[in-house]
Amino acid sequence: MGILYYGGQLVAAGTVSTGDLVTFLLYQMQFTDVVEVLLHYYPTLTKAVGSSEKIFEFLDREPQVAPSGTMAPHDLQGHLQLEDVWFSYPGRQEPVLKGVSLELRPGEVVALLGPPGAGKSTLVALVSRLHQPTAGRLLLDGHPLPAYQHSYLCRQVAVVPQEPLLFARSLHANISYGLGGSSRAQVTAAARRVGAHNFITRLPQGYDTEVGELGGQLSGGQRQAVAIARALLRDPRILILDEHTSALDTESQQQVEQEILAAGGSGRAVLMVTGRAALAARAQRVVVLEGGEVRLQGPPHEVLRPDGLLQDWGQQGAPGEGDRGSGGEG
Ligand SMILES: Nc1ncnc2c1ncn2[C@@H]1O[C@H](COP(=O)(O)OP(=O)(O)O)[C@@H](O)[C@H]1O
Ligand SMILES: [Mg+2]
């Protein structure tokens, strides 16, 4: 199974940590039982990563995603609520999320801002059910997330993680992953929506190009574009993007932003973690997370100053500062 080739290469090159690789696997494979999948792939994973101890270390440290529920309603609205959510990483004293309450209504585009380390990616991971809250609840249409079938959630709530990795399969397979049999026309359309079609068609094998054979040739932005195309193709009720524009080129960025805003316009709920003030300004609501707490929340004109800095940010460098694209350090 070549899936892990690319991730393994990155680990070997020191580009990503084993933890990131496993997190990536959890993200991508959560539509079946995660533990089962990890066991299934374990020999390959070991080979790719080169050290079984590291994986066990990670698995010991990380809680497993709870068992899947059974709910899979046909008429999901996509109303997400976080109710007084607390979260601490195992073995760490200080909570990363400290009583976060947040609502995302159907049709709403919400920008989540905050300095590195604020807990934005952790919040996103909780919505993906990669972690369970230490206290508090996450509700989807009024029902706790664990009540839903994993595969259903994965399809309805598409999450583009901060640093998406790709499978060592074709670009077509990467974009249609988890959907079972998307046509080339559908995949191409999704790639066009994020400005990835041009670079893909310039590759010798186009959509059939094996990512593994490209090695590290795809840029961070190109990987991000592929991951966003994958999320859009699922046509989820809720779309969550974590620093998605950080590596995109200008053209892709503009296209992706149009898509995000259009998704909100068509009744989808969108939560975007972004350091781009210009994008946050086009959301319906801006939420500022700092030190694991919601610090400010409101319409962009109340939260953001015309210069893109926050109204009430104190002495810290704010997101904004033009488009510094907030790095992947978080
Ligand atoms: N897997 C992890 N284990 C332990 N601590 C973590 C882990 N991931 C993130 N953290 C810590 O949680 C805090 C919030 O991180 P993160 O959610 O990535 O913030 P942000 O995305 O806002 O930059 C940071 O202090 C970070 O060091
Ligand atoms: Mg982050």
Side-chain angles (χ1 to χ4, degrees):
M1 191 85 191
I3 283 183
L4 291 160
Y5 171 84
Y6 186 63
Q9 293 286 306
L10 289 174
V11 171
T15 318
V16 296
S17 69
T18 314
D20 290 339
L21 177 59
V22 177
T23 304
F24 157 72
L25 290 170
L26 292 174
Y27 269 122
Q28 302 303 336
M29 296 177 175
Q30 64 187 187
F31 42 81
T32 75
D33 181 69
V34 169
V35 180
E36 195 183 295
V37 166
L38 276 177
L39 289 176
H40 181 70
Y41 289 100
Y42 176 65
T44 326
L45 187 61
T46 317
K47 212 165 146 200
V49 171
S51 154
S52 55
E53 271 152 51
K54 279 191 205 156
I55 294 164
F56 279 124
E57 236 172 64
F58 181 83
L59 291 177
D60 283 346
R61 224 162 18 90
E62 295 295 309
Q64 303 295 344
V65 172
S68 169
T70 53
M71 278 183 61
H74 289 295
D75 53 351
L76 188 81
Q77 297 299 304
H79 180 198
L80 183 70
Q81 289 164 284
L82 278 71
E83 282 183 356
D84 194 19
V85 168
W86 290 73
F87 179 75
S88 312
Y89 283 99
R92 289 238 188 150
Q93 292 292 327
E94 176 81 355
V96 171
L97 298 178
K98 303 170 189 165
V100 173
S101 293
L102 191 68
E103 193 172 8
L104 184 64
R105 296 179 206 89
E108 206 178 20
V109 179
V110 172
L112 183 63
L113 273 64
K120 305 180 296 295
S121 295
T122 302
L123 191 154
V124 169
L126 287 178
V127 177
S128 313
R129 298 203 64 218
L130 269 177
H131 303 298
Q132 309 303 310
T134 319
R137 300 196 301 171
L138 285 89
L139 305 169
L140 182 59
D141 283 14
H143 301 281
L145 283 192
Y148 290 90
Q149 220 173 56
H150 253 332
S151 52
Y152 178 82
L153 270 188
C154 192
R155 185 129 180 193
Q156 301 292 340
V157 185
V159 177
V160 181
Q162 191 164 356
E163 283 167 42
L165 298 178
L166 304 182
F167 301 107
R169 294 176 62 191
S170 70
L171 284 161
H172 178 102
N174 268 285
I175 293 173
S176 61
Y177 194 79
L179 287 176
S182 302
S183 70
R184 179 56 54 94
Q186 288 168 317
V187 167
T188 307
R192 281 187 193 280
R193 287 168 69 188
V194 300
H197 180 71
N198 284 347
F199 92 77
I200 293 174
T201 48
R202 278 198 299 269
L203 296 168
Q205 312 288 321
Y207 283 85
D208 295 319
T209 306
E210 293 285 325
V211 170
E213 280 160 24
L214 284 171
Q217 275 179 53
L218 291 186
S219 71
Q222 289 169 335
R223 286 204 301 277
Q224 250 175 348
V226 169
I228 297 167
R230 177 192 289 159
L232 291 178
L233 187 56
R234 284 183 191 177
D235 193 20
R237 293 304 312 176
I238 300 182
L239 178 61
I240 300 182
L241 304 113
D242 193 354
E243 314 266 10
H244 59 281
T245 51
S246 57
L248 293 178
D249 62 47
T250 316
E251 189 197 337
S252 293
Q253 191 171 293
Q254 281 171 357
Q255 255 174 293
V256 167
E257 290 179 7
Q258 277 314 116
E259 290 293 339
I260 292 170
L261 299 168
S266 68
R268 271 77 183 143
V270 181
L271 181 67
M272 48 184 188
V273 178
T274 182
R276 262 175 56 68
L279 179 57
R282 297 176 72 186
Q284 267 127 45
R285 190 151 48 91
V286 177
V287 177
V288 180
L289 194 71
E290 197 180 357
E293 292 177 281
V294 174
R295 166 95 199 271
L296 275 173
Q297 165 156 219
H301 69 270
E302 284 178 14
V303 177
L304 300 167
R305 296 198 313 224
D307 60 8
L309 295 178
L310 297 173
Q311 295 281 11
D312 172 29
W313 190 256
Q315 57 287 29
Q316 300 221 33
E321 288 169 20
D323 295 329
R324 63 173 186 167
S326 88
E329 64 274 74

